[in-house]
Amino acid sequence: MNQESPLVLIMAAGLGTRMKSDRSKVLHELAGRSMIAWVVEAARSAGAGRVVAILGHQHEQVKAHLDARYGAGVIGVALQAEQKGTGHAVRCALPALEREPDDRIVVILSGDAPLLRSERIAQLTTACAASPAGMALLSTIPDRPMPYGRLVRDDAGKLLRIVEHVDATPAEREIKDTNAGFYAVRLGHLRADLATLQANNAKGELYLTDLVARAAARGGATAIDAPFEECSGINDRVDLAAVDAAARRRINADWMRAGVTFVDPAATYVDADVGPIGQDVWIGPGVCLRGKTSIGARTRIDVGCIITDTTVADDVNLKPYSIFSEAQIGPRGQIGPFSHGRPGTRLDEDVHMGNFVETKKAHLMAGAKANHLAYLGDASVGSKANIGAGTITCNYDGFFKHKTTIEAGAFIGSDSQLVAPVTIGRGAFVAAGSTITKDVPRDSLALTRVKQAVVEGWADRFREAQARRKNRDGKSGETKVDPIDPPTDPGKPGDK
Ligand code: UD1
Ligand code: MG
């Protein structure tokens, strides 16, 4: 095993015209992670010492993205103001490597080829270290005709040069081995050879691939075969979708090997930065796990759940179509179907949150239950409190948000409004249908609804009055009748 840690350059200055986008090509995402971040992650997993991105078009946005993701300046940036070819791009990065010794190995990757595995980068480094010519590159055999550079060899199989597709003769285009576009070169050779590159070719560019002919003079660069799936680059949104699908297949296969069940992996969307996912997790079809979500062991995530930037603990049962973002779900939660946990939702252990319950900045403590139709915003719900169907925390007065505190063991009757700021004391009851505007002391009952009135025989009298009216006025019955106060008064509350 090679222990050398390579310097890594990522070429990403190109415009990406065919993406037809205002955004730099390398900022487009696959499985929720930008193209360039896929390449950076692979380089870092391969033990890269330093990573320098060569940027041109929209370099400010790309740098801002790298700084936000990895920390300011962690990924170095070299500017290639004008794109004069891949050789020119790497030349622009040399000043950033000024202090590095000639024998350092430099790995050169492409920002638009995100599926290269870190093992392949390690292989390139090892091969370069072993190569007397101080150069190695990846070759690949595409599964369809691609306008790639062809590897030209002598009869003994020694690599002589790379000819670009546009410069190749018909006979050279018959060559199956193509240049995948990933290289490892000793920095000394890179310095010497880049200085002498010339743009005498069809494109009028400085070709990095011309370094292969220089290496031939030193004994020949080593070519390593790589699967085409890892090498395919992205030029337009059709490529993007195809490579995205391949990325997702890889992610799901890795999780399945780690002990996660997918009912239908082709219809399950797990972002690249999701994890860990515990053993014996079960994931139904149509589930999307996004952002920095993590899932505890034995948790079940049923059909159609969309979970974003959320921590889900062990043994949770997420029933179908539940949506959570920027939330925490504690152990053994019984959630959904159709629960909506918005940012700042924190559910401790054994919480029940049922259908059409929406939470925002709400902390439900151990064993609290809100099983049906409720809105809990800016709220704290104590352990084992019970929130009845139709409960609403009125947290917003049009200007400010206010807090509702429901203490442990409180019982909120159905269809109640809690007008914040307000506190419902420990063990208190709020009667169904109440509008609570003042604090409720512990273990008391608060009730704000009008007393119920019963008028016996009223319904019969009402029906008779209506029937008489209908006979008199016909079906069109133009006169409106107030059912509470019909024309022949069937009696008022309290009447005998
Ligand atoms: C390159 C190779 C070709 C190989 C193919 C594999 C050369 C001359 N040719 O061709 O042999 O088969 O990749 O995909 O290298 N870039 C810059 N600055 C530039 C030009 C390019 O940063 O001035 C970046 C691009 O953004 C891209 C990468 O370098 O990420 C490759 O450039 P691209 O124009 O796609 O090269 P190809 O013509 O595809
Ligand atoms: Mg290309």
Side-chain angles (χ1 to χ4, degrees):
M1 253 317 277
N2 164 66
Q3 296 304 314
E4 240 180 291
S5 120
L7 303 167
V8 173
L9 302 179
I10 301 174
M11 298 184 289
L15 176 58
T17 320
R18 280 173 285 170
M19 291 298 283
K20 305 250 167 73
S21 176
D22 286 341
R23 243 187 326 157
S24 158
K25 174 161 85 175
V26 296
L27 290 184
H28 286 260
E29 292 179 353
L30 304 96
R33 182 194 280 168
S34 72
M35 237 181 259
I36 195 164
W38 274 87
V39 182
V40 173
E41 299 295 326
R44 284 160 72 111
S45 320
R50 261 174 81 201
V51 179
V52 176
I54 303 163
L55 306 180
H57 285 280
Q58 296 181 330
H59 59 92
E60 294 100 341
Q61 288 96 316
V62 180
K63 181 174 167 32
H65 168 71
L66 292 172
D67 284 352
R69 186 177 167 101
Y70 297 104
V74 170
I75 305 301
V77 165
L79 203 61
Q80 185 195 22
E82 240 186 298
Q83 283 71 57
K84 298 185 204 160
T86 47
H88 179 253
V90 176
R91 213 190 247 178
C92 292
L94 288 181
L97 309 182
E98 212 169 34
R99 294 199 192 147
E100 304 289 348
D102 274 349
D103 65 348
R104 280 301 294 265
I105 290 175
V106 181
V107 168
I108 303 163
L109 307 175
S110 251
D112 62 357
L115 290 192
L116 189 72
R117 287 186 187 267
S118 59
E119 298 93 284
R120 219 62 64 198
I121 298 174
Q123 259 183 308
L124 263 181
T125 312
T126 309
C128 176
S131 150
M135 181 170 191
L137 59 102
L138 292 187
S139 64
T140 192
I141 300 176
D143 58 11
R144 55 188 184 275
M146 299 294 279
Y148 283 0
R150 305 300 205 281
L151 269 56
V152 181
R153 301 173 197 266
D154 68 11
D155 292 340
K158 178 184 152 187
L159 190 51
L160 296 179
R161 61 191 168 90
I162 288 176
V163 60
E164 286 304 297
H165 182 83
V166 285
D167 301 301
T169 63
E172 285 168 337
R173 288 187 183 176
E174 293 300 313
I175 298 172
K176 295 278 174 285
D177 268 354
T178 68
N179 171 28
F182 310 96
Y183 320 83
V185 196
R186 292 264 186 217
L187 184 51
H189 295 310
L190 205 55
R191 285 178 170 135
D193 294 347
L194 285 177
T196 61
L197 280 188
Q198 300 215 322
N200 46 8
N201 51 52
K203 281 191 177 172
E205 290 183 347
L206 297 181
Y207 288 168
L208 183 61
T209 44
D210 285 351
L211 261 55
V212 173
R214 313 293 168 95
R218 304 191 295 267
T222 310
I224 304 167
D225 288 334
F228 180 62
E229 187 252 0
E230 281 187 47
C231 304
S232 47
I234 294 171
N235 289 315
D236 60 22
R237 296 187 201 234
V238 177
D239 295 340
L240 180 66
V243 178
D244 187 34
R248 292 186 182 282
R249 276 196 298 277
R250 185 189 282 184
I251 291 167
N252 291 358
D254 285 349
W255 286 122
M256 286 187 271
R257 288 192 192 99
V260 177
T261 295
F262 288 71
V263 172
D264 185 356
T268 310
Y269 304 85
V270 180
D271 277 1
D273 293 331
V274 165
I277 304 180
Q279 218 169 292
D280 290 313
V281 164
W282 182 98
I283 303 181
V287 167
C288 299
L289 303 181
R290 296 178 176 159
K292 286 200 185 307
T293 289
S294 66
I295 312 287
R298 299 172 302 280
T299 278
R300 185 183 163 92
I301 308 178
D302 215 324
V303 179
C305 287
I306 303 175
I307 314 295
T308 308
D309 294 323
T310 290
T311 305
V312 184
D314 294 349
D315 301 298
V316 172
N317 186 8
L318 272 155
K319 297 171 205 169
Y321 302 106
S322 294
I323 316 280
F324 278 76
S325 37
E326 295 172 45
Q328 294 171 42
I329 303 176
R332 299 177 301 281
Q334 293 291 325
I335 314 295
F338 300 101
S339 292
H340 187 189
R342 291 169 48 207
T345 292
R346 187 174 145 205
L347 311 181
D348 292 349
E349 63 269 29
D350 300 301
V351 164
H352 289 204
M353 175 170 168
N355 36 206
F356 310 108
V357 174
E358 174 184 345
T359 53
K360 186 223 74 176
K361 277 195 193 155
H363 180 188
L364 276 66
M365 294 173 210
K369 290 182 183 170
N371 271 329
H372 338 260
L373 300 158
Y375 172 62
L376 301 169
D378 302 297
S380 148
V381 178
S383 59
K384 297 210 168 143
N386 194 315
I387 309 295
T391 297
I392 292 175
T393 55
C394 308
N395 60 327
Y396 185 49
D397 61 13
F399 296 90
F400 300 104
K401 300 279 172 69
H402 303 282
K403 189 168 179 193
T404 301
T405 303
I406 299 164
E407 292 181 354
F411 182 98
I412 312 298
S414 295
D415 196 26
S416 295
Q417 302 91 53
L418 310 176
V419 182
V422 73
T423 295
I424 312 300
R426 206 179 172 82
F429 275 69
V430 169
S434 295
T435 301
I436 302 297
T437 53
K438 296 191 200 95
D439 288 354
V440 178
R442 60 183 293 172
D443 295 319
S444 57
L445 167 71
L447 130 160
T448 69
R449 59 183 189 236
V450 177
K451 263 200 182 154
Q452 181 166 322
V454 174
V455 184
E456 284 194 27
W458 181 94
D460 275 343
R461 297 199 292 280
F462 174 69
R463 279 190 286 267
E464 280 162 19
Q466 294 300 76
R468 275 199 301 280
R469 176 167 284 278
K470 204 169 194 173
N471 283 339
R472 196 180 67 224
D473 297 346
K475 273 193 179 159
S476 62
E478 247 128 60
T479 332
K480 276 229 174 93
V481 176
D482 179 355
I484 300 302
D485 190 15
T488 43
D489 189 352
K492 290 203 168 59
D495 284 2
K496 288 271 144 43

